[in-house]
């Protein structure tokens, strides 16, 4: 039987792509759709708003009501709205896939607390390619001892958080592989007379422009050579498909905290 999904942030760039991915997946069905209070799309049908088909559940601003017949919730609203809705998600009592990025440490802890009550997938990037890249980056960092690690990410000009959640996950993977503490070694900006690069620095730089769905490159600079590991998302469909895969996987899991590596069977 199809897994029934409620999409929170239904009118967003990701929400619409997730609606289309659900529409095209015979193992999934949309059981509810929510956007913020005052949104123009309230009262519209999900698939029509997404431009992928006719009908679909009516978009409301009431999570508990919209999620009541769902097996799984998918939330792609942003760190702040997700954080503000955590108590409602606890009340709803459903497994939840969270794709929002940019959580502070405190907000992340609150998400972890929710996972004591319901199963939670929290992943800053739902694509198979990025999650494989995370493994490659960790391994490269382990093998390339002493190489300078730098990371550049590029996203569209509407993105609100920086660096991207994916960039931070890649930086974490590199730090782990190299045996470094990311918080102690991350450098987010360079300007002026900054002196020589410290050997353990992990530079993380952000570009914003146009409609880029998401590009990430991790550089390992050595003497006389460098290795670059790049992931380019051509479209948001890769994240949306991953979110639906995560929802189908999570539907029958016990409460707890999961990530995309768990969903994809990479760990
Ligand atoms: P967006 O601004 O286009 O969409 C967000 C949607 O959420 C909007 O329709 C907005 O009205 C709605 N919203 C805001 N507050 C709400 C609330 N309280 N209740 C219900 N709906 C609410 O943004 P986007 O580009 O779709 O990205 C959304 C989030 O997903 C961002 O944090 C982004 O970084 C993240 N993202 C994650 C992945 C991944 O693979 N995990 C991929 C792409 C984007």
């Amino acid at each position: 039987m199809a897994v029934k999904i409620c999409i929170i942030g239904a009118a967003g760039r990701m929400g619409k792509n997730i609606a289309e991915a659900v529409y095209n997946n015979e193992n999934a069905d949309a059981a509810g759709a929510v956007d913020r209070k005052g949104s123009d799309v309230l009262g519209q049908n999900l698939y029509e708003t997404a431009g992928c088909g006719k009908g679909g559940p009516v978009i409301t601003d009431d999570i508990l009501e919209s999620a009541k017949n769902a097996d799984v919730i998918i939330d792609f609203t942003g760190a702040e709205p997700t954080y503000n809705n955590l108590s409602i998600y606890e009340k709803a009592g459903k497994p939840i896939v969270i794709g929002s990025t940019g959580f502070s440490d405190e907000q992340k802890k609150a998400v972890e607390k929710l996972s004591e009550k319901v199963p939670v997938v929290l992943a800053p990037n739902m694509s198979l390619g990025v999650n494989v890249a995370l493994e490659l980056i960790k391994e490269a960092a382990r093998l390339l001892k002493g190489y300078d690690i730098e990371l550049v990410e590029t996203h569209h000009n509407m993105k609100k958080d920086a660096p991207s959640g994916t960039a931070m996950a890649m930086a974490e993977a590199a730090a782990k592989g190299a045996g470094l503490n990311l918080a102690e070694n991350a450098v987010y900006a360079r300007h002026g007379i900054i002196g020589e690069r410290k050997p353990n620095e992990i530079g993380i730089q952000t570009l914003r422009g146009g409609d880029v769905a998401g590009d990430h490159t991790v550089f390992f600079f050595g003497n006389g050579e460098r290795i670059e590991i790049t992931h380019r998302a051509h479209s948001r469909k890769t994240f949306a498909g991953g979110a639906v895969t995560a929802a189908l996987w999570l539907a029958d899991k016990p409460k707890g905290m999961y990530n995309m590596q768990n969903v994809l069977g990479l760990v």
Side-chain angles (χ1 to χ4, degrees):
M1 219 166 62
V3 171
K4 297 197 280 310
I5 292 172
C6 178
I7 302 171
I8 320 293
R13 285 175 288 268
M14 279 306 301
K16 287 178 183 165
N17 276 279
I18 292 165
E20 186 175 354
V22 169
Y23 183 80
N24 290 322
N25 190 322
E26 59 182 22
N27 297 318
D29 220 347
V34 178
D35 210 83
R36 68 180 159 75
K37 289 193 192 335
S39 166
D40 291 346
V41 302
L42 299 183
Q44 294 180 11
N45 290 100
L46 176 69
Y47 295 140
E48 285 162 34
T49 300
C52 61
K54 287 223 172 305
V58 170
I59 303 174
T60 78
D61 61 4
D62 185 338
I63 294 173
L64 284 179
E65 184 57 28
S66 281
K68 76 172 185 231
N69 295 320
D71 301 313
V72 185
I73 294 171
I74 298 181
D75 174 327
F76 275 70
T77 54
E80 207 59 37
T82 299
Y83 175 70
N84 291 336
N85 284 330
L86 289 178
S87 58
I88 302 179
Y89 294 144
E90 186 179 334
K91 227 179 261 172
K94 311 270 177 173
I96 180 164
V97 174
I98 299 176
S100 299
T101 62
F103 291 107
S104 66
D105 287 346
E106 186 201 332
Q107 290 173 331
K108 235 182 253 168
K109 277 198 190 111
V111 175
E112 273 159 25
K113 214 156 173 10
L114 175 67
S115 76
E116 291 168 12
K117 297 279 161 47
V118 297
V120 177
V121 168
L122 175 67
N125 197 303
M126 306 261 169
S127 91
L128 174 61
V130 158
N131 285 282
V132 170
L134 289 174
E135 292 301 304
L136 299 176
I137 289 161
K138 192 162 63 180
E139 188 60 4
R142 187 180 72 80
L143 295 170
L144 297 166
K145 284 275 173 283
Y147 278 52
D148 293 332
I149 303 171
E150 296 276 317
L151 190 160
V152 177
E153 64 103 333
T154 309
H155 277 87
H156 56 90
N157 54 23
M158 311 290 278
K159 185 164 176 62
K160 296 188 182 76
D161 55 311
S164 70
T166 304
M168 294 312 296
M170 288 183 169
E172 272 295 353
K176 205 167 184 186
L180 297 171
N181 179 313
L182 182 64
E184 285 168 10
N185 293 294
V187 174
Y188 296 97
R190 295 187 177 105
H191 183 229
I193 312 296
I194 58 164
E196 287 179 12
R197 184 187 192 282
K198 293 187 192 71
N200 287 345
E201 278 184 9
I202 297 180
I204 303 167
Q205 310 301 324
T206 297
L207 308 185
R208 290 286 175 266
D211 62 354
V212 180
D215 287 358
H216 296 82
T217 298
V218 180
F219 300 81
F220 298 89
F221 295 99
N223 283 330
E225 65 170 4
R226 69 173 178 261
I227 288 182
E228 301 176 9
I229 297 177
T230 295
H231 179 272
R232 296 187 204 284
H234 300 172
S235 129
R236 291 184 179 82
K237 286 188 199 312
T238 181
F239 311 130
V244 175
T245 300
L248 300 185
W249 180 87
L250 192 64
D252 62 358
K253 293 292 173 294
K255 66 186 177 193
M257 196 72 181
Y258 304 97
N259 59 28
M260 256 343 247
Q261 310 263 312
N262 302 128
V263 174
L264 297 168
L266 298 176
V267 287

